[in-house]
Amino acid sequence: MSESIQPEPDDFALMARVRLSDETAFRLLVERHQRPLLNYFARMGAFNHGEDLAQETFLRLWNYRTKYKPSAKFTTFLYTLARHAWLDHIRKQNRFRLFRERYREEIPVFTDGGLGRLRKNIDIQAALARLSPKLRETLVLTVQPGLSYDEIAAVLRIPVGTVKSRVFNALATLQEIYRDPSA
């Protein structure tokens, strides 16, 4: 008597269950996509906030579960939510920086726990940090989760030609950086 091994349900099947508030299906989606999301946020420069941003993304996924329509790949939807969480995080950081600059109150000095030294040793991350946010975001979506140009265009809400141009420019800039590290 042989036991049949059930294949893992795909993301669409899991989302259909999550839509009905199935927490087990949601947990499977989180386990499946948490590491790639953490990598995405790290590549976007959110070193200290990656876990919070991933959690925010999954919270948004849960909240939007009834609105989800499987018209594109699940990862396109997920990275759209992740991008919105990241942009909200950037806005909050900018508001805090403006507040700090305006009021110049004594704010305790924060330490990065040695991450600054670690970042200097990670060449690719330093190079990505030197790209403009638009180029970095497009390149990270291309490489990290491996989204297609069409999927990236859907996530960023820009034309596919713009995605191709940004990827080309990002790679050209990185190539220049590695040719001349002092640039």
Side-chain angles (χ1 to χ4, degrees):
M1 192 181 224
S2 67
E3 292 182 31
S4 63
I5 297 175
Q6 296 274 333
E8 288 275 326
D10 66 12
D11 293 334
F12 290 127
L14 289 174
M15 273 308 291
R17 290 172 40 198
V18 169
R19 185 180 182 108
L20 302 172
S21 300
D22 182 333
E23 292 178 15
T24 301
F26 183 70
R27 183 178 43 79
L28 289 171
L29 279 173
V30 169
E31 289 171 358
R32 184 177 292 171
H33 294 284
Q34 185 170 19
R35 175 71 45 208
L37 274 179
L38 289 171
N39 288 333
Y40 166 75
F41 289 123
R43 295 290 184 222
M44 294 306 294
F47 302 102
N48 298 332
H49 304 283
E51 289 180 358
D52 293 336
L53 290 169
Q55 184 177 10
E56 174 64 24
T57 301
F58 288 121
L59 181 60
R60 289 174 185 216
L61 178 64
W62 180 261
N63 290 337
Y64 284 109
R65 70 188 180 280
T66 59
K67 297 175 187 166
Y68 173 73
K69 304 276 189 264
S71 58
K73 278 181 63 175
F74 171 75
T75 52
T76 302
F77 180 69
L78 182 65
Y79 281 94
T80 298
L81 296 175
R83 179 174 185 260
H84 287 273
W86 179 70
L87 290 172
D88 288 346
H89 170 72
I90 296 299
R91 283 186 206 105
K92 286 177 189 171
Q93 281 186 325
N94 287 340
R95 280 194 301 267
F96 179 72
R97 188 173 56 247
L98 285 172
F99 173 81
R100 190 175 61 213
E101 288 171 4
R102 279 190 191 142
Y103 298 103
R104 301 254 183 230
E105 293 179 0
E106 296 228 0
I107 297 175
V109 177
F110 295 103
T111 178
D112 67 359
L115 284 176
R117 285 191 313 276
L118 178 62
R119 275 189 229 142
K120 288 180 184 175
N121 294 331
I122 303 174
D123 290 338
I124 189 65
Q125 193 57 46
L128 284 172
R130 293 169 70 181
L131 294 174
S132 72
K134 288 181 180 181
L135 293 181
R136 180 176 57 229
E137 180 176 43
T138 307
L139 187 62
V140 167
L141 286 170
T142 303
V143 176
Q144 191 60 44
L147 298 180
S148 71
Y149 288 164
D150 289 333
E151 292 165 337
I152 294 168
V155 169
L156 300 179
R157 295 184 178 164
I158 58 174
V160 174
T162 302
V163 172
K164 291 177 182 179
S165 172
R166 286 182 184 176
V167 169
F168 176 82
N169 289 330
L171 292 174
T173 303
L174 289 176
Q175 195 172 38
E176 189 63 33
I177 289 169
Y178 279 110
R179 251 191 238 126
D180 181 12
S182 65

